[in-house]
Structures are given as C-alpha cells and as structure tokens.
Amino acid sequence: MNLLNVRDLRKYYPIKSGLFSKPSGFLKAVDGVNFSIEVGETLGLVGESGCGKTTIAKIIVKLEKPTSGRVFYRNKDIHSFSRHEEHNYRKEVQMVFQDPHSSLNPRMTARDTVEEALIIHGVGKKERDTRVKELFDSVGLGEELMNRYPHELSGGQKQRISIARALAVNPKLIIADEPVSALDISVQAQILNLLLDLKSKLNLSYLFIAHNLPVIRYISDRVAVIYRGRIVEYATTKELFSNALHPYTEILLSAIPAEGSLRHGQIKTTELNVESGCDFQNICNIASEKCRNVKPDMVAVNKNHFVSCWNH
Ligand SMILES: Nc1ncnc2c1ncn2[C@@H]1O[C@H](COP(=O)(O)OP(=O)(O)OP(=O)(O)O)[C@@H](O)[C@H]1O
Ligand SMILES: [Mg+2]
C-alpha cells in the first residue's frame, strides 16, 4: 500500500547578488523528483553534499514549500488537507535530524523533551507518565537518564532521545536526515539496528537520507541516487548494489573510502559541466548523439530498476 508519493517535485531558490537586487537566476535545489514509499518500506536517498536531500525532506514535512510538483500522503495531496487531515499528518510524519545535540533544547531534561511531544498532541498526565516510560524502554534508554540534560548525555543517547520524541505520537513515516552521520562508527551501528528493530515492531516506513553508501545499503529496501536535484538511478537495494547502471552510481560505488562516506568535491565535476544534454555524456561509455542534446528521462529497465539514461 502506498504511503508517500512524490511527483515532479521542484524547488528553485532565486540567486541574488544583493539584498534588494533582482534574482539573476535560480538555483535548482530539487529539479523534477519522483519517488514513492510503500507502507513498511525504507527508501534511502543518497548523493553528495548540496544535491537537494534535505530540501526534499523539508518539503515533505512542510518546512519548505515546493516551487512546483506534488506530494501525496495516502493518496491525498498534502497541500489540500482539511484541518483534521493536517493534524494527523503532523503526527504521522516525523523528522529525525542529523545533529541530535542542536535538535534538542539544552534547557530541557530528556524526560521533558519526550513528554513535550505528548503534551502538544493533547495526551493526559497519567497516560503521559506511562508513555514516557514505554518510549525510554523502546529506544533502549534506562529510566535513570530521564532527568539528564543534553550536555549530560552521549551522542548516541541524545539520538535515542530524538527518536523517542519522534515515536511519541505514533508516527507512520519517519524522515531521518543523516541520523547517524554525527555519531561514532560503533554507535552508528547501534542506532541503525534500533531503527530497523522499531521498523518491524511498529510497522514504520522511513525516508532515510545519508552520504554513506554502506549505511544506505544496510538500512534501505530501495535506493534513489541523486545528482544536482535529480534522481539518476532508482532501484531495489539488491539491484542497485549488484547491477548499477548509471555512471554516477558507479562513481559513488567506486569512490567509497574506508570509512564509507562521500566528501564534497570528491567527484570531479569539471567533466560534468556540459552545455546541453546529459550531464554524464563525457564520462559515459555508451553516450550517443541524443545524449549530447537532450537530458535523459527516467526509463524502466525492469520493474525494480529505473535509470536516467537514453540507452538502457
Ligand atoms: N534556503 C535556501 N536558500 C537558498 N539556497 C538554499 C536554501 N536551502 C538550500 N539551498 C541550496 O540548495 C541546494 C541543496 O541543499 P540541501 O541542503 O538540500 O542539500 P543536501 O543534499 O541536504 O546537502 P548535505 O549533504 O550537505 O546536507 C544547495 O546548493 C543549497 O545551498
Ligand atoms: Mg542535508
């Protein structure tokens, strides 16, 4: 069953040289993105810094408005919700951020942070006490940590609090924007396993954003590879990691350094500066005349694999 459906999503930011000057052009942060997430599925979004991942997440949770395109949640456009539907959406779709430290209020104890989400959604005092205990338990935190402030907690503990806060209102979809990037490698694995465990226990769906391909491979059922605001390859995790077809995916896969992360500028983008056609025509073995002139559409290689290419 379809949970989230993103259709031809675009976000263009005006480029201005001065505060009051007219825009000299547009930065196409998101440029025609399509994907969907089924109930119980994890979609991984991967791509280098600045390719538009966070912008997509912010549009879905309504922190940003798209320039054009539509987002459907349970087949309903998120911009034409009734008040009741809007209220439900804000409960059912929760976000977990990269840096647990800056996303927690330094003046609130762990308990207060988790309880606040329950108060906002009108849960009574007695039920709150039980729920807070349950939530601490479900993210593997002992009750003795309840009265600690963020600076008294480790990075992993803080991210567990952020996850408990997101879980407080029984979400269906969690948008996790680089939720483990700020953590030590050993703690990353614990948090990923917690997310996987919660997914099966609570039948959650995730949009999981990362730079790190091994992390994406571990957690995702399907993967969308993004380059400059466009999806270039979209496939089941198995297909993508065994039969990558797009040159950019191949570069990402071959560029995985020991720690698994992609760094900004790792891909030589000078070769990709083209006047027309496909961005990858200069580094692609199968580029044809059409590729020099027209940007490729997404084509289906099979029902589990789509690639932005004229020649597949
Ligand atoms: N409010 C804004 N105004 C103008 N440009 C913006 C704004 N927010 C993002 N951008 C630009 O849009 C592009 C995409 O940014 P975004 O934060 O979505 O990238 P990202 O893929 O999440 O990168 P990272 O991996 O570094 O988090 C970038 O070039 C960024 O500078
Ligand atoms: Mg980001």
Side-chain angles (χ1 to χ4, degrees):
M1 200 170 58
N2 183 262
L3 191 62
L4 191 84
N5 193 356
V6 170
R7 291 290 111 199
D8 202 22
L9 199 66
R10 290 167 204 268
K11 180 71 186 180
Y12 294 178
Y13 290 111
I15 303 168
K16 292 183 184 174
S17 44
L19 191 57
F20 300 108
S21 56
K22 281 205 173 136
S24 56
F26 290 91
L27 186 147
K28 298 179 176 179
V30 180
D31 195 18
V33 161
N34 294 288
F35 61 79
S36 64
I37 300 178
E38 304 299 307
V39 172
E41 184 185 41
T42 299
L43 176 70
L45 273 190
V46 67
E48 62 185 340
S49 185
C51 71
K53 303 181 295 295
T54 298
T55 308
I56 293 170
K58 284 183 173 166
I59 294 172
I60 295 170
V61 296
K62 295 189 154 184
L63 289 170
E64 287 274 10
K65 274 203 168 137
T67 306
S68 67
R70 296 169 87 183
V71 177
F72 297 90
Y73 182 71
R74 299 188 191 281
N75 302 319
K76 184 111 206 223
D77 189 326
I78 64 167
H79 292 105
S80 58
F81 279 158
S82 66
R83 267 183 73 173
H84 176 69
E85 287 166 336
E86 180 77 28
H87 179 77
N88 268 350
Y89 186 71
R90 290 188 186 271
K91 273 201 331 204
E92 292 191 5
V93 181
Q94 292 291 318
M95 190 146 172
V96 173
F97 296 91
Q98 172 174 357
D99 181 358
H101 192 71
S102 58
S103 73
L104 296 177
N105 183 336
R107 290 189 189 81
M108 279 169 81
T109 63
R111 189 208 150 82
D112 291 346
T113 298
V114 176
E115 193 177 8
E116 186 188 46
L118 296 166
I119 296 173
I120 291 172
H121 289 279
V123 180
K125 173 76 181 133
K126 216 168 164 192
E127 197 188 331
R128 286 205 303 268
D129 286 346
T130 325
R131 271 298 278 153
V132 169
K133 282 199 188 103
E134 274 172 18
L135 286 161
F136 268 69
D137 190 43
S138 64
V139 298
L141 286 175
E143 284 187 29
E144 72 280 4
L145 299 178
M146 280 190 180
N147 294 321
R148 295 223 190 141
Y149 289 90
H151 74 274
E152 298 168 321
L153 296 164
S154 72
Q157 287 167 339
K158 277 184 279 204
Q159 199 57 302
R160 285 173 196 267
I161 303 281
S162 305
I163 295 168
R165 174 177 58 186
L167 293 178
V169 288
N170 294 322
K172 301 288 181 255
L173 173 65
I174 293 190
I175 315 286
D177 189 1
E178 311 237 15
V180 298
S181 309
L183 305 174
D184 286 352
I185 292 276
S186 60
V187 183
Q188 286 192 8
Q190 293 168 12
I191 297 291
L192 289 174
N193 287 333
L194 171 67
L195 290 171
L196 284 173
D197 187 37
L198 291 168
K199 178 187 159 188
S200 61
K201 273 193 194 138
L202 306 172
N203 198 24
L204 294 171
S205 306
Y206 294 125
L207 177 65
F208 191 98
I209 297 172
H211 282 95
N212 182 307
L213 278 158
V215 166
I216 283 282
R217 184 179 196 170
Y218 189 62
I219 196 116
S220 312
D221 302 307
R222 272 192 303 157
V223 182
V225 179
I226 305 196
Y227 177 76
R228 289 198 189 167
R230 287 166 161 257
I231 294 179
V232 296
E233 191 157 6
Y234 181 55
T236 56
T237 307
K238 201 167 158 222
E239 272 275 317
L240 192 94
F241 283 89
S242 62
N243 185 26
L245 295 174
H246 196 280
Y248 184 66
T249 315
E250 285 175 18
I251 294 171
L252 292 189
L253 289 172
S254 66
I256 303 175
E259 75 276 22
S261 291
L262 294 166
R263 282 179 296 268
H264 190 51
Q266 196 167 350
I267 314 281
K268 283 200 211 90
T269 43
T270 44
E271 285 173 327
L272 306 184
N273 284 336
V274 295
E275 278 182 14
S276 65
C278 176
D279 287 324
F280 299 89
Q281 57 187 270
N282 294 332
I283 59 162
C284 177
N285 298 328
I286 54 169
S288 59
E289 196 49 39
K290 189 171 184 185
C291 310
R292 314 240 170 255
N293 300 313
V294 194
K295 261 202 194 313
D297 287 337
M298 223 40 183
V299 296
V301 182
N302 60 50
K303 73 177 189 345
N304 295 321
H305 201 155
F306 299 80
V307 62
S308 164
C309 177
W310 292 126
N311 297 320
H312 279 291

